[in-house]
Amino acid sequence: MSGNSVWWKEAIVYQVYPKSFYDSDGDGIGDLPGIIAKLDVLQQLGVDVIWLNPVYVSPEVDNGYDISDYQAINPKFGTMADFEHLLAEAHRRGLRVIMDLVVNHTSDQHEWFHESRTTRENAYRDYFIWRDPVNGREPNNWAGHFTQSAWSFDDATGQYYLHIFSPQQPDLNWENPAVRQEVQRIMAWWLAKGIDGFRLDAINLIAKAPGLPDNRGDGRYIFSIENFCNQPRFHDYLREMNHAVLAQQDVLTVGECAALTVDDAIAVSAPDRHELNMAFLFEHTDYYNTVGKDPQKLKEILTRWQVGLHGRGWVGLAFNNHDQPRVVSCFGDDTRYREESAKLFATLLLTLEGTPFLFQGEEIGMTNAVYATIEEYNDVGTVNLYREQVAAGADPQVVFERVRATSRDRGRSPYQWDGSADAGFTTGIPWIGVNPNHVAVNLQENLDDPDSIFHYYRRMIALRKATPALVYGRFEAVPAPDALFVYRRIGDEGSCLVVLNLSEESVEFAAEGTLLIGTHAQPEKNRLQPYEARVYRE
Ligand code: GLC
């Protein structure tokens, strides 16, 4: 392995969305004993780290991203003893566990907020961001992520509080040193329990622009992150956190940082900055999830990040997560070329520089879930937007089509274990509908078929682990026809050539080398089939 080998650069992370993973007690909701029951298959896949979406006590307005007790487990998921058991069982199999740290905001049911809202003068008032009305209205024009305004008025004390997300997720006031110390205390408490790191939720939103100025633009509410994203103080807070808690620990820290440029990512992840190990790369998913599928743009974005970050910073790479649609549905082809395109994205994910993050279900080619009525949706963003727009007089059917095209529930449907009723996820009534395609798309089918997507991921993961160039090597784009993405990873011990056909056409291309892995059983020497992917040793 290269001179400076680092475990979290070599690790493959698997994201478990506990609510939709496996239900052990028949209440329709996945739980911690359910995760324990399935650890063997994760070990078989070859991943190294499990990232758990929030499992803390929460009223679940935003599926656990509204925490009311940071040091207790949501009884729907189990007990603290179950959590400790999960940690021990994971560690016994060589799997590490990282937790989701949601500290841009709490739940409005957290005791800090209960206290905070009682009077204007109390020890917790300043834990949150309270402001007087301006001309009888909100203190500024910031729009919220899940509501029109980012402010809600509280009758009890006659002030507004800030919530970048839903009104039930009040933003913490990071300018208050007491808040920062509470967060550090909570982090240290979990680390002392033996967890292996954190995914830091919405972390580059914690610092707000001094004075909370209006966003630019006309209109009552302006949706923009200009005044609360990547503010300079954000870096001060991370460095303080690093110094106080992380510096002495060999843990994985990954920041969920919206709207990050290459330079911003370096500022967060360069080792000499002492902030985090890595930030997630979102520019590529943001592009294809909003603008649409565009192979040229995907190549341009990934190339720019690979070249710009090498030797300077580190990213977490993903094509799927709980907030996004499944890549096989929105960039691949989830009908005719489902297997091929799922395997192509496995190849891309596992041959780039950056720590790969898999989202549960991608390793079996799960596709976007689509539901027939608004009642079947759960995502707070979807439901709030629908309610607000219908209340404002819009046609409910038009609004429904609009919100379901962006709903985060597309990727949150229950894991498809087998072809039985409700995919073997639960014996009860699932909290959200199971995708009907589970009859054909499920883990059992994948395990039984040596050419399945699961076994391809398993082989691709093994290849990455055996090939230092795929972890540490320098990226170099290779000129190729538009439909193809071709690049090298050049390492100390040799280089690999990766050839990907991002289109539904067959494309001529001559590649040389020893074929290490490929998506197609009988590759043609000078031609790639739709969504064909290959990795060569040169
Ligand atoms: C992050 C989470 C998302 C959540 C939001 C608010 O973006 O990934 O699921 O709704 O933060 O906590």
Side-chain angles (χ1 to χ4, degrees):
M1 203 43 70
S2 301
N4 299 316
S5 84
V6 178
W7 73 264
W8 46 260
K9 293 186 175 176
E10 293 165 22
I12 318 285
V13 185
Y14 186 92
Q15 179 188 353
V16 171
Y17 198 67
K19 207 168 173 178
S20 287
F21 195 57
Y22 182 60
D23 173 21
S24 72
D25 60 4
D27 65 357
I29 297 169
D31 46 44
L32 298 178
I35 301 171
I36 298 170
K38 301 296 186 183
L39 286 175
D40 286 343
V41 78
L42 299 185
Q43 193 180 23
Q44 186 186 352
L45 183 60
V47 298
D48 307 282
V49 180
I50 300 169
W51 152 29
L52 288 184
N53 284 98
V55 291
Y56 318 89
V57 173
S58 162
E60 289 185 72
V61 168
D62 187 17
N63 272 348
Y65 283 95
D66 46 324
I67 297 172
S68 52
D69 186 344
Y70 288 94
Q71 288 163 268
I73 298 293
N74 182 340
K76 287 187 191 161
F77 293 142
T79 61
M80 190 56 83
D82 291 328
F83 179 83
E84 284 160 4
H85 188 198
L86 168 60
L87 199 56
E89 286 296 313
H91 285 168
R92 196 165 67 76
R93 291 169 175 81
L95 293 165
R96 304 190 206 222
V97 178
I98 66 169
M99 299 285 276
D100 217 313
L101 186 74
V102 188
V103 288
N104 173 69
H105 45 269
T106 66
S107 159
D108 64 345
Q109 302 305 313
H110 194 289
E111 62 177 11
W112 299 338
F113 194 69
H114 276 307
E115 290 295 321
S116 184
R117 76 195 313 178
T118 52
T119 59
R120 287 195 186 201
E121 315 294 331
N122 73 70
Y124 290 96
R125 186 66 171 180
D126 224 18
Y127 270 43
F128 297 89
I129 302 172
W130 293 96
R131 292 290 183 277
D132 284 326
V134 174
N135 300 327
R137 296 210 330 222
E138 291 87 357
N140 66 28
N141 65 2
W142 296 2
H145 272 62
F146 302 148
T147 47
Q148 280 189 319
S149 172
W151 296 93
S152 283
F153 188 70
D154 203 43
D155 286 326
T157 54
Q159 284 190 314
Y160 283 91
Y161 66 90
L162 180 71
H163 53 82
I164 289 172
F165 296 93
S166 78
Q168 295 87 357
Q169 294 166 294
D171 279 52
L172 282 164
N173 174 19
W174 277 71
E175 277 181 33
N176 181 351
V179 165
R180 307 203 296 270
Q181 279 154 20
E182 295 270 19
V183 170
Q184 291 159 13
R185 181 184 57 74
I186 291 164
M187 293 174 79
W189 187 85
W190 279 104
L191 289 169
K193 249 187 200 306
I195 68 159
D196 303 288
F198 296 103
R199 176 256 187 195
L200 295 93
D201 183 70
I203 197 69
N204 64 340
L205 309 186
I206 57 179
K208 278 66 179 176
L212 311 181
D214 275 333
N215 288 334
R216 281 165 302 183
D218 296 327
R220 181 153 181 183
Y221 308 112
I222 308 288
F223 189 86
S224 162
I225 51 173
E226 66 198 74
N227 284 309
F228 53 72
C229 193
N230 290 325
Q231 294 288 320
R233 290 285 282 157
F234 156 59
H235 295 287
D236 298 339
Y237 298 151
L238 284 187
R239 268 197 297 277
E240 185 188 79
M241 174 195 283
N242 186 301
H243 180 74
V245 194
L246 300 169
Q248 309 310 322
Q249 312 261 354
D250 184 20
V251 294
L252 189 161
T253 51
V254 53
E256 188 207 24
C257 300
L260 217 61
T261 63
V262 172
D263 286 340
D264 295 329
I266 293 168
V268 172
S269 64
D272 62 355
R273 300 268 308 176
H274 304 290
E275 296 189 12
L276 300 177
N277 297 155
M278 63 187 98
F280 278 118
L281 171 59
F282 285 122
E283 191 179 336
H284 61 311
T285 51
D286 284 349
Y287 190 89
Y288 65 70
N289 288 332
T290 52
V291 184
K293 167 176 172 170
D294 179 346
Q296 290 318 308
K297 193 68 192 173
L298 183 71
K299 285 156 57 173
E300 184 273 312
I301 294 170
L302 291 176
T303 300
R304 179 160 37 79
W305 276 83
Q306 291 286 297
V307 172
L309 225 62
H310 184 71
R312 302 166 74 201
W314 198 257
V315 279
L317 291 170
F319 290 91
N320 301 277
N321 69 30
H322 65 293
D323 291 329
Q324 295 183 0
R326 293 195 177 267
V327 71
V328 69
S329 295
C330 60
F331 207 116
D333 175 338
D334 66 6
T335 50
R336 185 155 174 218
Y337 295 113
R338 188 182 61 87
E339 297 231 354
E340 291 84 346
S341 55
K343 290 175 183 171
L344 176 134
F345 279 100
T347 316
L348 179 57
L349 175 70
L350 291 155
T351 55
L352 291 172
E353 180 169 337
T355 300
F357 284 70
L358 279 66
F359 176 54
Q360 64 179 47
E362 78 174 76
E363 78 284 7
I364 56 169
M366 278 178 63
T367 62
N368 278 350
V370 180
Y371 302 106
T373 61
I374 188 69
E375 289 72 31
E376 290 166 83
Y377 283 84
N378 169 281
D379 173 9
V380 58
T382 309
V383 174
N384 281 5
L385 214 63
Y386 178 83
R387 281 199 199 125
E388 278 186 358
Q389 296 191 1
V390 171
D395 177 343
Q397 196 52 37
V398 173
V399 178
F400 178 56
E401 292 306 332
R402 194 181 306 145
V403 298
R404 97 167 158 176
T406 57
S407 177
R408 297 182 301 171
D409 288 337
R410 287 173 294 174
R412 294 180 180 179
S413 62
Y415 193 92
Q416 295 166 202
W417 296 100
D418 57 40
S420 69
D422 288 324
F425 162 68
T426 180
T427 54
I429 299 166
W431 71 277
I432 194 164
V434 172
N435 194 324
N437 72 6
H438 72 269
V439 180
V441 178
N442 62 63
L443 177 70
Q444 197 51 53
E445 291 275 334
N446 269 262
L447 290 177
D448 293 346
D449 172 5
D451 290 327
S452 68
I453 299 166
F454 180 92
H455 288 299
Y456 187 82
Y457 265 91
R458 189 177 54 70
R459 286 196 295 271
M460 196 57 242
I461 288 170
L463 177 65
R464 182 178 176 99
K465 291 194 169 166
T467 315
L470 292 178
V471 177
Y472 296 104
R474 183 170 62 80
F475 173 101
E476 182 184 86
V478 175
D482 279 357
L484 303 187
F485 190 16
V486 183
Y487 51 89
R488 290 199 167 84
R489 297 294 309 282
I490 305 166
D492 296 343
E493 301 90 349
S495 70
C496 292
L497 179 73
V498 182
V499 185
L500 309 165
N501 181 359
L502 294 168
S503 79
E504 306 200 349
E505 313 293 325
S506 84
V507 181
E508 239 177 83
F509 188 78
E512 296 290 329
T514 312
L515 189 61
L516 297 174
I517 194 168
T519 52
H520 286 57
Q522 276 155 350
E524 267 182 75
K525 186 152 176 30
N526 293 326
R527 174 166 292 281
L528 278 98
Q529 296 306 313
Y531 294 110
E532 183 168 359
R534 300 179 196 167
V535 183
Y536 294 93
R537 150 114 27 238
E538 289 187 308

